[in-house]
Amino acid sequence: MTIERYLIYMAFQKGIRHKLVKSLLNEWLRDANLVELKRRKLRNLSGVFEGVSVFRYLTEHKW
């Protein structure tokens, strides 16, 4: 699963609407400094970045 697909999956799990997810996906990737890594598989990210928790980012925002 890629970072991009994981973000979409987690957003749906949190109850964020599809239209909102599509419009905000690139903004989330930019905020988490993951734009250039969005197509990489999650299993290949060990040690690539520090201090970024996409799950925390999604849960802290008010939807």
Side-chain angles (χ1 to χ4, degrees):
M1 181 179 285
T2 64
I3 293 173
E4 190 173 33
R5 288 189 66 169
Y6 178 74
L7 276 176
I8 293 169
Y9 168 77
M10 288 307 299
F12 291 155
Q13 292 295 316
K14 293 292 173 187
I16 303 170
R17 291 179 288 133
H18 181 65
K19 286 184 179 181
L20 187 58
V21 171
K22 285 189 87 171
S23 65
L24 291 176
L25 184 62
N26 285 329
E27 182 180 329
W28 293 340
L29 290 167
R30 263 195 324 272
D31 288 348
N33 296 322
L34 296 173
V35 174
E36 58 277 348
L37 302 175
K38 71 181 181 180
R39 303 255 189 242
R40 288 186 67 181
K41 302 263 183 195
L42 288 174
R43 67 176 176 234
N44 297 331
L45 291 179
S46 179
V48 172
F49 56 92
E50 293 180 20
V52 174
S53 174
V54 174
F55 182 74
R56 185 180 60 203
Y57 179 81
L58 286 174
T59 57
E60 287 177 352
H61 282 76
K62 302 291 183 205
W63 307 106

